[in-house]
Amino acid sequence: MDQDLESIKQDTLSALDQAQDLRAWDAVRVATLGKSAPLTQKLKELGKCPPELRKERGGILNRLRDELTQAIETRKVVLEEIALNEKLNAEAIDVTMPVTVTSGILHPLRRTVEEIIAIFGAMGFKVAEGPNVDTDWFNFSALNIDKNHPARADHDTFYLPTKTLDGQQNLLRTQTSTVQIRTLLDQKPPIRIIAPGRTYRADHDATHSPMFHQCEGMVVDKGITLGHLKGCLIDFLRAFFGIPHLPVRFRSSYFPFTEPSMEIDIGWNRKTGELGGSSDWLEILGSGMMHSRVLANCGVDPSEWQAFAFGMGIERLTMLKYGISDLRSFYEGDVRWLRHYGFSSFRSVALHEGI
């Protein structure tokens, strides 16, 4: 073998021995077998050799290339095994070490929903759900809301550019009352449901958000009266706020879907924000006996069945109970805020005062 070929062989074998990782190995491979490598250039120059020497020299060069290729592949296997062992050692887990358990934090809105479900669940209510995108009929018309009502205006309601096959306008529901309508259409009385969920209105400030949460409830049965409504909501409010003798006031109001309608206030201190005392009142939710037209729109005979309904803002309840001053904080995603106001996901809901 020529001196230059022997030099290429020895240099390559020496470089392979010194290569301690796959990156160094790849550099040796390219330097030996690449397009610009000396051995490759010599193979390209075979055409310039005299015919009587070409066969012999070609055999020598090809044998050297095969020998170096085999040496390079053998070194690759060794380096891959070394790399794998290093990775396994680095990722080894000591199963005798104590386990560190980390848990997420429950958002206060989620906690309030769980508390509402637990309290009304103790009264025999079931949770009902419905779509966030609904139609004008479910959101307004079926609820006896007039076509000229301000709530139907574009500046209050998010209308979508699509319609249903029968021409109904699609929109983002402004209230979970749509779930009441769907339940009346799908189930036969007696019915006792609550419908917590997201709702959407075109409003945004410290006390309003374009997306917020409501919980509406409905009871349909024979012989239902205002007395049942009052007893149900008084028990709920006292259990939710944990104040056994929380003052509750029912005040005459107007909603298109209830007749008679009532706003519900609770006692609080305007100066300190403390609930349950003083002579001040704070509006907390709306309610009433379901309008006969709403029942009739859903195929329920109002002469046979009576119903009451109520609705409350989940953010409002949460802010009052936990002393949160700005609605926008719920959606800013500040982990520090969540650590302060959040709850352990392992902490179960308990009804402190009972029902």
Side-chain angles (χ1 to χ4, degrees):
M1 185 182 296
D2 294 346
Q3 185 66 33
D4 55 346
L5 297 184
E6 182 65 28
S7 176
I8 290 174
K9 177 180 177 181
Q10 295 303 323
D11 290 346
T12 301
L13 295 177
S14 175
L16 285 174
D17 288 339
Q18 296 176 13
Q20 298 301 313
D21 54 42
L22 290 173
R23 179 177 294 181
W25 166 87
D26 191 58
V28 176
R29 180 187 65 81
V30 173
T32 305
L33 303 176
K35 293 181 180 181
S36 302
L39 181 59
T40 304
Q41 294 301 319
K42 291 183 179 298
L43 285 167
K44 290 180 179 179
E45 294 172 356
L46 277 175
K48 300 178 182 180
C49 292
E52 62 273 13
L53 298 176
R54 191 179 303 162
K55 183 177 181 181
E56 180 183 357
R57 186 164 179 79
I60 294 173
L61 291 174
N62 283 323
R63 284 192 294 273
L64 176 60
R65 183 180 61 181
D66 292 342
E67 182 180 352
L68 294 179
T69 300
Q70 181 62 41
I72 288 171
E73 291 302 318
T74 300
R75 184 59 177 169
K76 180 183 179 182
V77 172
V78 173
L79 292 175
E80 285 180 337
E81 185 175 356
I82 293 173
L84 177 61
N85 290 333
E86 290 177 349
K87 183 178 180 181
L88 292 175
N89 290 332
E91 297 177 353
I93 299 175
D94 186 352
V95 295
T96 64
M97 291 290 289
V99 177
T100 301
V101 178
T102 58
S103 62
I105 301 174
L106 204 62
H107 196 282
L109 289 179
R110 182 66 251 174
R111 177 68 176 190
T112 297
V113 171
E114 291 183 352
E115 291 177 350
I116 292 173
I117 292 174
I119 295 171
F120 281 111
M123 299 181 191
F125 284 75
K126 294 182 179 180
V127 176
E129 297 180 338
N132 285 249
V133 176
D134 219 318
T135 68
D136 181 87
W137 189 84
F138 282 101
N139 198 81
F140 293 122
S141 300
L143 290 161
N144 196 39
I145 298 176
D146 188 81
K147 290 185 177 181
N148 297 318
H149 195 281
R152 289 180 179 255
D154 290 344
H155 63 266
D156 277 343
T157 301
F158 292 109
Y159 287 97
L160 302 180
T162 59
K163 292 186 178 181
T164 61
L165 294 177
D166 59 355
Q168 289 289 326
Q169 181 69 51
N170 286 322
L171 50 79
L172 296 179
R173 66 182 183 186
T174 63
Q175 52 200 357
T176 56
S177 302
T178 56
V179 182
Q180 296 181 28
I181 300 300
R182 291 182 174 276
T183 302
L184 287 170
L185 291 170
D186 294 340
Q187 299 180 23
K188 293 182 179 180
I191 298 170
R192 190 177 298 193
I193 59 109
I194 57 170
R198 294 185 182 92
T199 50
Y200 310 85
R201 294 181 190 176
D203 206 351
H204 186 54
D205 55 40
T207 57
H208 298 86
S209 170
M211 189 281 293
F212 57 103
H213 297 76
Q214 276 191 346
C215 180
E216 307 228 358
M218 176 181 67
V219 173
V220 185
D221 210 331
K222 295 180 178 179
I224 292 295
T225 67
L226 278 175
H228 297 103
L229 167 63
K230 294 175 70 174
C232 173
L233 295 181
I234 289 173
D235 284 348
F236 163 73
L237 292 171
R238 289 176 175 174
F240 178 79
F241 289 111
I243 304 174
H245 303 291
L246 176 70
V248 180
R249 180 179 71 175
F250 290 79
R251 175 169 42 85
S252 178
S253 185
Y254 168 76
F255 303 112
F257 32 82
T258 52
E259 179 64 33
S261 305
M262 292 178 294
E263 299 278 6
I264 301 177
D265 307 327
I266 58 174
W268 75 309
N269 188 312
R270 187 181 300 274
K271 293 182 179 180
T272 65
E274 182 182 359
L275 297 176
S278 188
S279 59
D280 299 320
W281 294 97
L282 178 66
E283 179 185 321
I284 195 72
L285 60 91
S287 64
M289 300 300 294
M290 188 168 286
H291 201 292
S292 58
R293 290 179 186 172
V294 177
L295 293 173
N297 287 338
C298 300
V300 178
D301 186 355
S303 65
E304 181 181 2
W305 301 95
Q306 293 77 49
F308 68 76
F310 54 88
M312 63 194 79
I314 294 176
E315 281 85 350
R316 182 170 177 78
L317 291 175
T318 308
M319 292 170 74
L320 287 172
K321 183 168 184 177
Y322 300 113
I324 300 172
S325 58
D326 194 326
L327 178 78
R328 292 168 292 193
S329 302
F330 287 116
Y331 310 112
E332 290 176 347
D334 190 327
V335 176
R336 297 166 300 176
W337 181 91
L338 185 57
R339 289 191 183 121
H340 179 77
Y341 288 105
F343 295 85
S344 167
S345 55
F346 295 107
R347 179 181 170 187
S348 61
V349 175
L351 301 183
H352 300 291
E353 303 299 332
I355 297 297

